[in-house]
């Protein structure tokens, strides 16, 4: 029997030996892991701690209600990363502006962005939520504070990305551009251990995940596509299965392992400004990176997510994500828009 358990640290070290790389990056990842473990512990107790579960009454930059656990997670990730001397600037879905590194700490070579607690409307109903993170190399000069230019890089410049799902177990999935690996937090030893090596997403799935309540607001191409998936004339010759958790990380994670397509397409609720809901920097780009690394695809319906040049920190995009052939098929429907 082989007793070797591959811990996250060991995996990072193996990757560094195989592909080269600087220790800086593993320091950043270790800090993210530390914050994630603390958040996982808080999430597990959220039902018991009224103080954390209760709402703050504040609204976040998108005008949505912020719950205390979001604020807690946000602070946790900021405080785990701001003093290590490896990061020059951060940005979070929960903060309207860039998060600068305090004056007393050195500024590093990397930019870190995160959605500290994705799926926050699911916190108080005991459904999986998660954290999404992305890491870029800075493009401005070494030494000083990072700038907006460092934050507004297209996804194709990503250096690494990943997510954590706080669910029936805590799962970490990440990539540094050499494939995708998944780890489970073993609570008895407090370590993430390799559980899903070299994840690849099936090229075609049998699941679609979308908030179908938005059907009346969708463009004709999206409606026809979903009708097609539910028909017996699609490629499977039977209706796709519908699965929608409402936490992007959880929906994506399931589809990554089983194959499928996630859609938050543009809608016309505000006819003057048709748009998607999800954020390019904190949600779409990191998951697009993971999807592509696993052999899948990510698109707005019209263009590759990772090619988009961001223009604002909180820019929203339509997001179609998952199995390659399914995403491609959606693009065909979107283009015809019939
Ligand atoms: P959040 O980051 O504020 O939690 O919002 C993002 C979430 C995603 O996790 C999920 O895919 C989507 O919003 C669900 O939206 P809807 O309730 O409109 O279906
Ligand atoms: Mg989110």
């Amino acid at each position: 029997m082989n007793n070797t358990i591959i811990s996250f640290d060991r995996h990072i070290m193996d990757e560094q030996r195989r592909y080269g790389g600087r220790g800086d990056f593993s320091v950043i990842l270790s800090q993210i892991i530390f914050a994630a473990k603390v958040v996982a512990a808080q999430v597990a107790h959220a039902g018991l701690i009224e103080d954390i579960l209760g709402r703050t009454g504040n609204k976040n930059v998108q005008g949505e209600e912020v719950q205390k656990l979001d604020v807690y997670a946000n602070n946790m990730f900021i405080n785990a990363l701001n003093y290590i001397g490896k990061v020059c600037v951060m940005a979070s879905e929960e903060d309207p502006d860039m998060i600068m590194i305090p004056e007393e700490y050195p500024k590093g070579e990397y930019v870190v962005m995160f959605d500290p607690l994705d799926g926050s409307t699911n916190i108080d109903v005991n459904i999986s939520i998660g954290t999404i993170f992305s890491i870029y190399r800075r493009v401005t000069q070494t030494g000083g504070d990072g700038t907006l230019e460092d934050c507004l890089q297209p996804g194709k410049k990503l250096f690494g990305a990943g997510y954590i799902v706080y669910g029936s177990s805590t799962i970490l999935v990440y990539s540094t551009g050499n494939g995708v690996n998944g780890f489970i937090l073993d609570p008895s030893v407090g370590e993430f251990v390799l559980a899903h090596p070299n994840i690849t997403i099936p090229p075609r799935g049998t699941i679609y995940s979308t908030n179908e309540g938005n059907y009346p607001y969708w463009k004709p191409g999206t409606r026809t596509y979903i009708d097609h998936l539910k028909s017996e004339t699609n490629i499977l010759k039977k209706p796709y299965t519908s699965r929608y958790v409402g936490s992007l990380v959880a929906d994506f994670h399931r589809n990554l392992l089983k194959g499928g397509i996630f859609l938050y397409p543009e809608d016309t609720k505000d006819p003057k400004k048709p748009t998607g809901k999800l954020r390019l920097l904190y949600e779409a780009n990191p998951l697009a990176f993971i999807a592509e690394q696993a052999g899948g695809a990510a698109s707005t319906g019209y263009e590759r997510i990772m090619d988009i040049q961001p223009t604002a920190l909180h820019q929203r995009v339509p997001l179609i994500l998952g199995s390659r052939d399914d995403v491609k098929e959606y693009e065909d429907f979107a283009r015809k828009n019939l």
Side-chain angles (χ1 to χ4, degrees), residues 276-316:
K277 172 185 179 184
L278 299 172
R279 293 77 170 175
L280 177 60
L281 296 186
Y282 315 110
E283 292 163 327
N285 269 336
L287 298 188
F289 181 76
I290 301 278
E292 287 197 11
Q293 280 293 318
S299 167
T300 61
Y302 315 98
E303 69 177 313
R304 181 181 174 227
I305 290 287
M306 292 207 291
D307 283 339
I308 300 171
Q309 173 59 54
T311 52
L313 281 180
H314 293 280
Q315 187 172 344
R316 295 172 190 259

Side-chain angles (χ1 to χ4, degrees), residues 93 115 117-119 132 278-279 283:
E93 191 190 298
D115 178 353
L117 214 54
D118 178 61
I132 310 173
L278 299 172
R279 293 77 170 175
E283 292 163 327

Side-chain angles (χ1 to χ4, degrees), residues 65-120:
E65 195 173 53
V66 175
Q67 295 177 304
K68 275 193 179 175
L69 207 50
D70 305 36
V71 178
Y72 181 89
N74 197 36
N75 290 335
M76 200 57 226
F77 282 94
I78 294 171
N79 292 332
L81 290 160
N82 67 3
Y83 71 94
I84 57 176
K86 310 294 181 198
V87 180
C88 64
V89 67
M90 292 183 266
S92 160
E93 191 190 298
E94 294 296 337
D95 282 281
D97 301 317
M98 292 181 293
I99 303 159
M100 307 313 290
I101 304 301
E103 220 172 294
E104 63 264 38
Y105 302 127
K107 320 294 181 279
E109 285 302 301
Y110 294 91
V111 181
V112 183
M113 290 192 261
F114 44 87
D115 178 353
L117 214 54
D118 178 61
S120 45

